[in-house]
Amino acid sequence: MQRYSGFGLFKHSLSYHENWQRAWRNPTPKKKYDVIIVGGGGHGLATAYYLAKEHGITNVAVIEKGYLGGGNTARNTTIVRSNYLWDEAAHLYEHAMKLWEGLSQDLNYNVMFSQRGVLNLGHTLQDMRDIQRRVNANRLNGIDGEVLDTKGVQEIVPHMDCSANRRYPVLGASWQPRAGVARHDAVAWGFARGADSYGVDLIQQCEVVDMVIEDGAIVGVKTNSHGVIKADRVGCVTAGNSGVMAKMAGFELPLESHPLQALVSEPIKPILDTVVMSNHVHGYVSQSDKGDLVIGAGIDGYNGYGQRGSYPTIEHTVQAIVELFPIFSRVRMNRQWGGIVDTCPDACPIISATPVENLFFNCGWGTGGFKATPGSGNVFAATLAKGEAHPLAKPFSMFRFHNGALIDEHGAAGVAH
Amino acid sequence: MLHIYCPHCREHREEEEFHVKGQAHIARPLDPESCTDKEWGEYLFFRKNPRGIHHEIWYHSTGCRKFFNVTRDTVSYEIKEVYKIGEQPQVVAKG
C-alpha cells in the first residue's frame, strides 16, 4: 500500500495525479475463508480491519450486496459522542471514542474527525435533572462532560435563541467537548483501504441469499453471483437487513427496521461550529465543512425498508430546528434521504453469538451506530477471532432479551442521536 | 404521506392523524406464570420484521381514537387492506 503523505501529494502532482494506485483491489472470491463478514458498511469494514491488524486473521472476505459504505454509513449525520448513561453503553462508546481520536493516523487516511463538542439541550426542569445525572455518571466513567446553564450555552452558540420567553426555553445543556463529527464516507474508505492492505478480500455487488448450515453450525454462505463460499466463522453486520439475515439462519432477532431521515441545506457561510442536539424538541443540527447544515431527528414510527421516509417527520424535524434557530427559517433545504435503522427494544446494540454455532451478529445499533464504528468493529473482531464475546461486548448478547438484563438507554440517549 | 382508511370513520385520512402501534395479532400467553424466560422474553421483545407484507396495529389518535389493523408492504409502503380488531387478514405473505 502506498502511504498517503504531504510529500506523496507533491510527488503525484508532478504527474498530474494520474498515477495514484487504487485504494483497494476488486478480487474474485476464494472457495473458502477463515472468516466471512456479511455487510460492507463502516462496521463490517472496521471488523475486517481489526481482525487483520489485531488478531492476525487475514484470510477474510467482506461480502457486500451493493457498494462499500453505501448504506447507513453514507446516510447518517456523522455525530460522534460517548456521553451515555449506563456503564455498559458508556464503556463501549468511550472505547470507540478513544479509537476515533487516533483513527486518521492509524489508518493513514484523513477521516476528518473534528472534536467540536456536542451540546444536548435541556428545556424543562426534568431535562436538567436527567442531564445532571447523566453528566455525573459520565464523569464517574472517565468520560468528559459538563453541565451548562443558559448563559453557558449562549456563549458557545450565540446564534441560538436562548431567550426565556420561547415555547421551549433553553435552560441549559450537557456539553461533551471531546465529541464531534467525522467524515462518514472517509471512515468506510479508510477501513476498506486498511483491510485490503492486510489482504482482506472486499467483494462488492455480491448478495448473500442463504446461509449454509450443517448440524447447527454455519459452514458458509450462498451468494447470488459467486455460489457457495465457505467459512469457519461468519459475522453478520447488516444493519437494517439483519432481521432478514437472521431469518435465513432460522431464528428471530428482537429488532424492528425503521426509516430514519436526514436532510442537508444549501451551503452557507460558517455559522455553527459545534453540534446541537435536543431530545425535547427533537432535532439535531451541525454544519459540515462544506457549509451545509446537516439536520436529523427521529425515526418514522412504522416499520419500513424503503430507504425513504414520510413528510410529517421532516416537517416535525424542521420545526424543531427553527424553534431553536429562528435565523435558519429561510435557509433552503437541498437534499433529504432515509436510511434503514435496526432498532432494539432497549436502544442498545446486539453484539452476540447466536443459536447457530460459529455465526455471530453485530446489529441493532438503531439510530446511533456511526459514532461506534471503530469500537464496534474492534470488539466484534475480537469476538469473531476468539469465538466468544469481547468483555465490552458481553452485556450486549441477544440473549439479554430472555434473561431480562436489558441496558435501557432509551430514556437516556435513545431519542436523538 | 400515507393515506389511511379508518374502518371506524369510514374515510381516508392523512398519516399525521394516526400512530402506528406495532405488530398485530400478538397473543398474550394464557398462563404467564408457567412461561419459560425464553417464551416470556419472546412475547415481550421479539417482533416480526418482514421485508414485505406486514400486519400492524394503527391508532386513529387525533380522530376517533380507535384501534384497527393494517396490512402493509414494508418496501413499497402500499396499504393492502384495513380490517378491524378481532378480524383476520385476507392478504398474507407467501411462504
Side-chain angles (χ1 to χ4, degrees), chain B residues 67-83:
Chain B
F67 291 84
F68 56 94
N69 294 319
V70 168
T71 302
R72 193 174 55 88
D73 187 310
T74 59
V75 180
S76 69
Y77 299 167
E78 184 193 350
I79 292 172
K80 303 284 188 188
E81 63 174 334
V82 169
Y83 56 103

Side-chain angles (χ1 to χ4, degrees), chain A residues 241 257 303 305-306 308 310, chain B residues 15 49-51 72 74 76-77:
Chain A
N241 283 306
S257 297
N303 290 21
Y305 286 89
R308 63 189 180 279
S310 64
Chain B
E15 176 187 335
N49 191 23
R51 197 185 170 98
R72 193 174 55 88
T74 59
S76 69
Y77 299 167

